[in-house]
Amino acid sequence: MLGLIVITVGLGPWVWPLPAKLIDLGARNAGPGWAHPLGTDQLGRDLLAQLLAGGRVSLAVAGAAMIVSISLGTALGVLSGMFRWLDGPLMRLTDLFLALPVLPLLLITVALFRAPLSAALGPETGIFILIVLAIGATSWMSTARILRGEVRALMARDFIRAARSTGTRNGAMITRHVLPNIIGALTVSATLGVASAILMESALSFLGLGFPPDMATWGRLLLDGTAHLGNHPGRALWPGALITATALAVTWLGDGYRDQNDPRHHAR
Amino acid sequence: MQLHTLAFFVAPFITLASTVIPAHSSDAQQGRDGEVRILYWQAPSILNPYLSGGIKDVEAASLVLEPLARLNPDGVMTPWLATEIPTLDNGGVSADLTRITWHLTPGLTWSDGSPLTARDVQFTFQYCTATDGACAQKDKFRDLISVETPDDLTAVLQFSAPRPYPYGPFVGPQTPILQAAQFADCIGPRAPGCTEQNFAPIGTGPYTVQEFRPNDAVRFTANPNYRDEGKPAFGSVMFKGGTDANAAGRAVLETGEFDYAWNLQLAPEVLDAMAARGKGSIITAFSTLVERITFNMTNPDPALGEDRATLGEPHPALSDLAVRQALAMALDRDVMTQIGYGPTGRTTCNIIPAPPIYASSANDGCAAQDLEGARALLSSAGWVDSDGDGVRQRDGTHLRFTFQTSTNAVRQNFQLLAKEWWRQIGVATELRNIDASVFFGSDPSSPDTMQKFYADIEMYAGASDGPDPASYLGQWACGRAPSPDNAWQGSNVARFCDPEYDTLLDKLTQTAGLAERAEIARQMNDMLVQNYVVVPLVDRGRVSARSNSLAGVQINAWDSELWNIAEWRRVTP
């Protein structure tokens, strides 16, 4: 299903050629029909085209932000789990980040870096990078905590001691023994991250910190649509359904992946 | 049968139109219509307007406390507790414009039966201007140095400087008369502590407070000593606060639980759907709240550092009148009004659209969209797309603008429409929306405030406080431009600077006489609009809903919406 969503969204313009930003004042608030399979919004923009265009942005943001946050989280989690002397400082750092109020932090980040990044890379790419980094940098903490716990439990297991006694170096220890054993927790974290990144992006856009209002994303379509839930439910339901479907699909993917690759799972 | 149906539909309109004429003879009994239920989705927290600037508090208190004069729905001043409006002609205003004399109507009493005297007017002045007091309406009493009481029914207001428009204090629901006897011990710092007084003031109005639960509800009962025999028709008022605009609209228009709901700023389609249920109707009133686009006359380029967006640095493109005019011509204001506000807004070409005497007719016809004309204007001014990227340029300056506004569904729709139209005339726009609390927050440390205007174009709404536009027009004085020197607090966000305008403004502050003042105000309005400093888009109305069984309602955008609640009555719809 994820594949289907990704392919459809990726091929967007070939699947449905109408441009997402086209304003057609003659076809405002149109219901589903041949010209507009899912109807149009209050400015006569085609909902299907917007969903496809929005999907590309949302999936790209979610994927990229997830990679940033998982890399940070894994690095910190594994390091503090394996090395006692790093545990204290790294976990206090995690506490610090958890204690920081996310929204004011993002406000400052956006205020400081928005203009220079937009100038250097163009408004859309600049904001894309900013949002990905902002979401990634403020959502790695739970991953780090979970993985630290997993790694510490692992370090007390016999096979790790055995590996150590045969002189396995730290780097090899991480790649050969630790990472394969925490892959389950890692994938679960990652999949949850994808879903929350989509929603986080929409919240940011809503507050004016995210993409400009003319750039469709699923989150923005959902927020815009909720006001019309009474008379045009499709406008909120379609983007909502796509966010849910994506989150579910990613979670199942993670589940399936864990079932295949978790060594503990095989042992049972 | 047919006749009956016709009467059924026409009846509510007839009763609405005939509100001025008392529908019942004076022997009709007070309180005959039972209870009226009013829903304000912001709940009142205090019933003393001198301690709160909130509209909800002021309007709730207006059932009890009354001023000397009010503005009627047409923005015309109407004597309320006074016998007439003092003017130069009737001798009420002195020739040097520093004294104004009010005469109270004889025989008025407070709801406790004691007489209303000029001493109460004097006390109210002392109450609001007491040292260490936190009076919310202090601004209205600016320059007022004393109130003298030559006799029980005469109050003479003495100002320290000439006041061509002296109707600030004691006019309108913000500055009603308080009872001296009740508030005598509540002067200055003690004012906020007088809970009993602030929660149940004694007034001259049609109702008295029976029970007040702050931030929840107020129950009013009819004032037995009210001056008009047989009024009010409703014996009690249930004034409920809370929920939101959507739920308030439903409560009147769909379920009929309430008779009146205040301030329903909802999407036009949503309002129409609610009104279609036939339980009530939507009522609107227009004053001066105008949604407008403002151009930045100064350069917001971050490369300028400290001098960014200050008067010394003119904007490379927007300082050209042709560009501003073309941008305005490309907008279809009728479509914007229709999409954004429906029946609750009307297209306007003036920054001062009302009252009628102040509204200029020199800009009529501005609303028609003219894309072809806009393109021709830009081309003739030398702005052409020479590199074929779809964006016009001149001497290396491209017509690429940042357009910012607060986060609000209607405003984002307007942004999208403007961007599309401007694209068609060869102007590229980057849109930004900023959280309303930041955008309107006027925090000098934030780069995203309306005043700092670190963008090329912005959109917001503004209104004149009262019908006299002097202080409102003063917002565009050159000296009011926000800059680092005044911590970015100025009101002239466009940084418009024209000595001629400032001269007119000085003239306005020295001219008495309504007709002369209106003449100058119209000239100033035309200067702003014809220089395309601001592009007025929509005159936004106040929107409320009333049940079909409620008659006598005259929504008022200049005063409290409940200003004539004494005339309200029940009818069979």
Side-chain angles (χ1 to χ4, degrees):
Chain A
M1 183 157 76
L2 183 70
L4 188 70
I5 294 176
V6 171
I7 289 169
T8 319
V9 160
L11 293 177
W14 290 277
V15 176
W16 183 244
L18 220 59
K21 291 184 181 179
L22 183 79
I23 292 177
D24 178 5
L25 293 175
R28 294 173 46 215
N29 295 321
W34 284 115
H36 305 286
L38 300 180
T40 60
D41 69 2
Q42 72 281 0
L43 297 177
R45 288 172 299 176
D46 185 76
L47 186 58
L48 179 58
Q50 289 203 73
L51 280 174
L52 294 172
R56 278 196 295 282
V57 180
S58 288
L59 290 181
V61 167
M66 182 265 285
I67 290 169
V68 171
S69 107
I70 290 297
S71 327
L72 272 172
T74 312
L76 269 78
V78 169
L79 285 180
S80 64
M82 279 185 68
F83 307 106
R84 271 299 157 82
W85 58 276
L86 269 175
D87 190 21
L90 283 181
M91 279 302 114
R92 294 301 79 75
L93 180 76
T94 313
D95 287 344
L96 180 78
F97 265 86
L98 277 173
L100 276 179
V102 175
L103 216 55
L105 190 73
L106 289 178
L107 266 170
I108 296 168
T109 320
V110 172
L112 285 179
F113 300 117
R114 183 189 179 110
L117 271 175
S118 295
L121 303 163
E124 291 184 356
T125 329
I127 294 169
F128 179 83
I129 290 173
L130 188 62
I131 289 179
V132 164
L133 289 181
I135 295 177
T138 50
S139 59
W140 54 268
M141 291 82 76
S142 62
T143 312
R145 285 227 161 150
I146 293 167
L147 293 189
R148 168 187 172 269
E150 291 269 322
V151 173
R152 291 205 64 178
L154 216 57
M155 295 313 281
R157 300 273 291 269
D158 289 341
F159 73 93
I160 296 282
R161 285 192 206 156
R164 227 187 248 301
S165 66
T166 58
T168 315
R169 286 170 183 280
N170 280 332
M173 183 80 96
I174 292 172
T175 49
R176 209 174 297 159
H177 297 292
V178 177
L179 282 183
N181 276 291
I182 57 169
I183 201 80
L186 194 66
T187 43
V188 172
S189 256
T191 49
L192 288 176
V194 169
S196 71
I198 293 180
L199 294 175
M200 185 80 167
E201 180 275 317
S202 67
L204 283 179
S205 297
F206 184 70
L207 286 171
L209 305 176
F211 291 106
D214 54 334
M215 200 161 158
T217 67
W218 283 347
R220 178 172 285 279
L221 289 172
L222 178 66
L223 283 170
D224 288 350
T226 41
H228 302 276
L229 205 53
N231 39 5
H232 304 286
R235 261 184 238 167
L237 292 183
W238 281 110
L242 281 171
I243 294 176
T244 316
T246 310
L248 268 178
V250 176
T251 314
W252 282 333
L253 193 75
D255 252 11
Y257 187 69
R258 194 196 63 178
D259 288 352
Q260 272 189 352
N261 295 313
D262 190 343
R264 274 181 292 172
H265 197 84
H266 281 302
R268 252 174 249 147
Chain B
M1 174 67 188
Q2 213 165 5
L3 202 68
H4 176 82
T5 330
L6 187 71
F8 177 81
F9 282 112
V10 170
F13 298 106
I14 293 175
T15 46
L16 190 67
S18 62
T19 43
V20 196
I21 309 151
H24 299 262
S25 58
S26 60
D27 58 330
Q29 217 187 331
Q30 184 187 66
R32 61 190 173 276
D33 283 345
E35 186 186 64
V36 61
R37 299 167 64 82
I38 299 173
L39 182 58
Y40 270 48
W41 52 268
Q42 290 176 11
S45 50
I46 193 166
L47 292 178
N48 181 350
Y50 289 102
L51 297 180
S52 162
I55 301 176
K56 61 201 168 80
D57 302 321
V58 169
E59 302 215 341
S62 75
L63 269 63
V64 176
L65 298 169
E66 295 180 311
L68 295 177
R70 282 191 190 287
L71 296 160
N72 73 7
D74 298 323
V76 175
M77 211 172 310
T78 315
W80 206 255
L81 296 177
T83 50
E84 61 176 357
I85 302 295
T87 61
L88 265 177
D89 296 336
N90 66 18
V93 177
S94 68
D96 63 354
L97 306 177
T98 60
R99 287 165 76 83
I100 171 169
T101 309
W102 291 92
H103 296 285
L104 292 177
T105 309
L108 295 179
T109 60
W110 294 97
S111 57
D112 62 2
S114 61
L116 169 78
T117 68
R119 174 78 194 99
D120 295 308
V121 179
Q122 185 185 39
F123 172 81
T124 307
F125 157 69
Q126 289 161 351
Y127 177 85
C128 189
T129 52
T131 42
D132 304 330
C135 176
Q137 313 295 348
K138 233 172 199 159
D139 208 36
K140 299 248 178 199
F141 290 86
R142 195 163 33 93
D143 294 342
L144 183 60
I145 44 177
S146 73
V147 174
E148 289 147 38
T149 53
D151 61 63
D152 271 358
L153 294 177
T154 311
V156 182
L157 279 58
Q158 175 74 49
F159 291 93
S160 61
R163 287 287 290 264
Y165 187 85
Y167 311 111
F170 311 122
V171 177
Q174 289 91 0
T175 52
I177 313 295
L178 295 178
Q179 192 193 39
Q182 190 191 16
F183 282 88
D185 293 331
C186 301
I187 291 243
R190 285 199 299 270
C194 291
T195 311
E196 197 188 315
Q197 285 86 343
N198 294 333
F199 282 8
I202 294 172
T204 53
Y207 290 96
T208 59
V209 184
Q210 186 189 25
E211 191 197 355
F212 178 44
R213 294 198 299 272
N215 299 318
D216 179 17
V218 200
R219 173 171 284 280
F220 296 98
T221 47
N223 172 3
N225 291 312
Y226 189 59
R227 53 187 176 273
D228 287 346
E229 192 74 23
K231 285 178 187 171
F234 289 104
S236 62
V237 178
M238 182 66 207
F239 191 104
K240 178 87 179 98
T243 73
D244 54 65
N246 204 336
R250 280 182 205 286
V252 171
L253 297 169
E254 287 189 8
T255 65
E257 293 164 85
F258 281 86
D259 295 305
Y260 191 89
W262 160 86
N263 194 10
L264 306 177
Q265 293 292 357
L266 298 167
E269 303 100 79
V270 177
L271 271 179
D272 287 345
M274 284 184 190
R277 302 287 284 268
K279 282 232 161 58
S281 49
I282 293 160
I283 46 179
T284 49
F286 294 95
S287 61
T288 59
L289 183 62
V290 172
E291 185 82 23
R292 81 285 297 272
I293 283 178
T294 292
F295 298 122
N296 197 343
M297 301 293 203
T298 60
N299 193 347
D301 186 353
L304 293 172
E306 285 285 289
D307 292 330
R308 183 181 191 190
T310 56
L311 280 173
E313 298 286 343
H315 196 284
L318 288 173
S319 51
D320 182 356
L321 176 66
V323 174
R324 302 199 299 270
Q325 188 176 352
L327 291 176
M329 283 162 76
L331 302 174
D332 190 335
R333 302 181 208 189
D334 287 331
V335 167
M336 292 170 112
T337 309
Q338 196 192 336
I339 290 177
Y341 296 95
T344 68
R346 54 187 184 192
T347 308
T348 180
C349 295
N350 292 312
I351 204 73
I352 300 178
I357 182 169
Y358 293 108
S360 166
S361 57
N363 311 302
D364 294 357
C366 76
Q369 187 185 31
D370 184 5
L371 291 171
E372 207 44 61
R375 288 186 200 109
L377 185 66
L378 285 175
S379 300
S380 66
W383 298 97
V384 284
D385 181 16
S386 46
D387 56 5
D389 61 353
V391 182
R392 289 168 189 266
Q393 62 204 353
R394 187 175 80 184
D395 309 333
T397 305
H398 284 75
L399 294 182
R400 286 182 200 280
F401 300 123
T402 307
F403 180 14
Q404 67 179 19
T405 189
S406 71
T407 301
N408 167 312
V410 173
R411 293 210 168 112
Q412 263 73 80
N413 284 344
F414 278 20
Q415 278 187 310
L416 293 165
L417 287 169
K419 176 174 175 153
E420 169 62 19
W421 287 323
W422 289 341
R423 185 190 63 74
Q424 293 178 22
I425 62 166
V427 175
T429 321
E430 184 196 339
L431 302 183
R432 276 200 73 193
N433 59 321
I434 299 161
D435 185 55
S437 57
V438 175
F439 187 64
F440 297 115
S442 62
D443 173 5
S445 58
S446 165
D448 291 330
T449 61
M450 181 184 108
Q451 284 93 349
K452 255 190 189 164
F453 204 172
Y454 282 173
D456 305 294
I457 304 168
E458 67 183 4
M459 177 166 56
Y460 61 96
S464 166
D465 179 23
D468 186 74
S471 67
Y472 183 47
L473 286 167
Q475 289 183 4
W476 284 277
C478 192
R480 305 281 293 274
S483 72
D485 301 334
N486 58 18
W488 302 99
Q489 294 307 311
S491 53
N492 182 1
V493 292
R495 285 93 158 133
F496 168 67
C497 216
D498 186 341
E500 205 183 323
Y501 185 87
D502 290 2
T503 315
L504 277 176
L505 185 65
D506 285 341
K507 202 169 143 199
L508 183 64
T509 49
Q510 290 154 14
T511 308
L514 199 58
E516 294 85 348
R517 291 180 68 76
E519 167 72 34
I520 301 172
R522 286 198 302 268
Q523 273 181 35
M524 295 173 76
N525 170 75
D526 292 349
M527 276 185 84
L528 291 173
V529 174
Q530 288 166 11
N531 278 312
Y532 297 92
V533 178
V534 283
V535 180
L537 301 173
V538 185
D539 182 10
R540 287 167 50 186
R542 273 204 201 184
V543 193
S544 295
R546 68 167 178 88
S547 146
N548 283 339
S549 68
L550 187 64
V553 177
Q554 270 187 297
I555 183 172
N556 191 337
W558 300 102
D559 205 281
S560 165
E561 282 188 24
L562 311 172
W563 70 295
N564 73 335
I565 195 164
E567 317 284 340
W568 291 14
R569 60 192 186 278
R570 188 71 71 193
V571 290
T572 343

